[in-house]
Amino acid sequence: MPCSAVTLSLATILSIIAVALLAIAFSTDNWLSYEVKRSNIQSYAAKYTDSQTLLDNLNNKYYFYTRTRGLFRICYPKERPPSSAVEIYLSPVETHCSNIDYFPINNEDKIVAPNDDSMARLHLARTCIALFILSFVAVFCAFWTGLSGCWKRSAGAITATAILMLCACLLAAGAMGLWHTVEFFEKEKVVGEEFYQQWSTVLRDNTRISYDWSYIVAWAGVASSLVAAILLSGAAVCLRSEREKEEQLNLQYLMPVYPQKQPPYPYGAGYPQPQIYPGPYYHGSQYGPYNY
């Protein structure tokens, strides 16, 4: 079996897997998991009479509830906050969720105005979504160039497909890098009371933050797209070498024909005209009146 067929088959399978993994990670809500031990916080608030504010936050603030967070939604697999605190709806996977607002409007209810760090975090989060969308656009273009290259067995089209898949990989990897930058801002910068840096000590001690399966699936999709791009470039090299071998094999069956430019007889300029007499030719004459 030609190496181009094997590498193209593997590259196609990995490309499909990469697109599926990135799409699943992009649309699901399990990038980060926040497990809040509400019972411990409630016990702490009951011990101290001056913890009424903490108790109110426990019942009214969404970040005091166990939740999972994705790129677009925050979902509550266990208890969910009251509708007065945050707008809750039922997601397509039958989970109660609330949307992440990427275009907040400054209301008069907000006491703290957004600072430079919070605006930087917001712009980085928007750019992360945009890079993911651009990676899907690159994969869509790679689908058509790859289809044309497989149909025509064109090494150039397969090379273009490899470049597009590499671009999709780099865009998705850049989006993941921005996502980690947003996470850093939320943990280390003052960007809002709902984020880790401005949590109370009690909430920090009773919350466990961990990466969830959507995050792992996203990195698996990035790795699959990189391997698919490498295999596609290898398939293009195989196609070129196979085409060169076919051309060399075809040349062996071609007989060279050279045009005859000289005349069949060497006459012309400098040569006498040939004298042609009808035969047969004999020395002397056997017939006639003269016999010597």
Side-chain angles (χ1 to χ4, degrees), residues 269-284:
Y271 291 93
Q273 293 290 335
Q275 301 296 323
I276 302 175
Y277 301 94
Y281 306 106
Y282 301 100
H283 179 70

Side-chain angles (χ1 to χ4, degrees), residues 171-250:
L171 288 169
M176 294 297 296
L178 287 178
W179 185 86
H180 278 287
T181 307
V182 172
E183 183 189 17
F184 170 79
F185 268 74
E186 293 174 355
K187 286 185 176 180
E188 303 297 334
K189 304 290 184 179
V190 178
V191 293
E193 64 175 5
E194 67 267 30
F195 301 113
Y196 183 85
Q197 182 63 29
Q198 292 180 253
W199 286 355
S200 62
T201 306
V202 180
L203 180 58
R204 288 186 186 181
D205 294 339
N206 291 279
T207 302
R208 186 173 67 89
I209 305 174
S210 60
Y211 297 115
D212 215 336
W213 61 268
S214 295
Y215 168 81
I216 299 172
V217 167
W219 274 119
V222 173
S224 299
S225 61
L226 177 60
V227 177
I230 295 173
L231 287 175
L232 284 168
S233 61
V237 173
C238 286
L239 279 174
R240 286 193 183 95
S241 62
E242 289 171 6
R243 179 160 294 182
E244 289 175 359
K245 290 180 181 179
E246 289 177 0
E247 291 177 354
Q248 292 175 359
L249 188 62
N250 292 333

Side-chain angles (χ1 to χ4, degrees), residues 72-122:
F72 300 100
R73 290 183 294 268
I74 299 173
C75 297
Y76 308 92
K78 298 179 180 179
E79 299 178 70
R80 59 181 184 270
S83 56
S84 59
V86 64
E87 184 178 353
I88 302 292
Y89 66 92
L90 198 62
S91 70
V93 292
E94 302 295 325
T95 307
H96 291 89
C97 301
S98 61
N99 289 328
I100 297 176
D101 190 7
Y102 285 102
F103 298 94
I105 301 175
N106 293 328
N107 297 323
E108 295 179 357
D109 298 337
K110 291 186 176 181
I111 300 175
V112 181
N115 55 17
D116 292 338
D117 288 335
S118 63
M119 292 304 298
R121 174 207 160 270
L122 183 61

Side-chain angles (χ1 to χ4, degrees), residues 33 45 48 89 92 130 135 193 221:
S33 175
Y48 301 93
Y89 66 92
S135 70
E193 64 175 5

Side-chain angles (χ1 to χ4, degrees), residues 14-209:
L14 279 174
S15 298
I16 294 172
I17 292 173
V19 174
L21 291 176
L22 288 174
I24 290 171
F26 186 72
S27 59
T28 51
D29 310 306
N30 295 82
W31 287 66
L32 282 176
S33 175
Y34 298 83
E35 185 179 354
V36 182
K37 300 177 181 178
R38 290 175 52 81
S39 58
N40 293 350
I41 299 175
Q42 194 169 7
S43 299
Y44 177 87
K47 290 180 182 179
Y48 301 93
T49 56
D50 57 346
S51 300
Q52 186 61 37
T53 303
L54 179 62
L55 192 60
D56 292 340
N57 291 335
L58 181 66
N59 297 322
N60 295 315
K61 300 293 186 180
Y62 80 89
Y63 47 89
F64 277 83
Y65 288 82
T66 297
R67 62 199 180 275
T68 60
R69 182 178 172 184
L71 296 178
F72 300 100
R73 290 183 294 268
I74 299 173
C75 297
Y76 308 92
K78 298 179 180 179
E79 299 178 70
R80 59 181 184 270
S83 56
S84 59
V86 64
E87 184 178 353
I88 302 292
Y89 66 92
L90 198 62
S91 70
V93 292
E94 302 295 325
T95 307
H96 291 89
C97 301
S98 61
N99 289 328
I100 297 176
D101 190 7
Y102 285 102
F103 298 94
I105 301 175
N106 293 328
N107 297 323
E108 295 179 357
D109 298 337
K110 291 186 176 181
I111 300 175
V112 181
N115 55 17
D116 292 338
D117 288 335
S118 63
M119 292 304 298
R121 174 207 160 270
L122 183 61
H123 291 312
L124 288 170
R126 292 172 181 172
T127 308
C128 174
I129 302 297
L131 287 182
F132 269 118
I133 294 173
L134 288 176
S135 70
F136 288 119
V137 173
V139 170
F140 179 77
C141 297
F143 169 77
W144 293 107
T145 56
L147 187 64
S148 173
C150 291
W151 182 262
K152 299 179 180 179
R153 292 184 60 82
S154 171
I158 298 298
T159 303
T161 306
I163 294 172
L164 286 171
M165 284 301 298
L166 182 61
C167 290
C169 171
L170 294 177
L171 288 169
M176 294 297 296
L178 287 178
W179 185 86
H180 278 287
T181 307
V182 172
E183 183 189 17
F184 170 79
F185 268 74
E186 293 174 355
K187 286 185 176 180
E188 303 297 334
K189 304 290 184 179
V190 178
V191 293
E193 64 175 5
E194 67 267 30
F195 301 113
Y196 183 85
Q197 182 63 29
Q198 292 180 253
W199 286 355
S200 62
T201 306
V202 180
L203 180 58
R204 288 186 186 181
D205 294 339
N206 291 279
T207 302
R208 186 173 67 89
I209 305 174

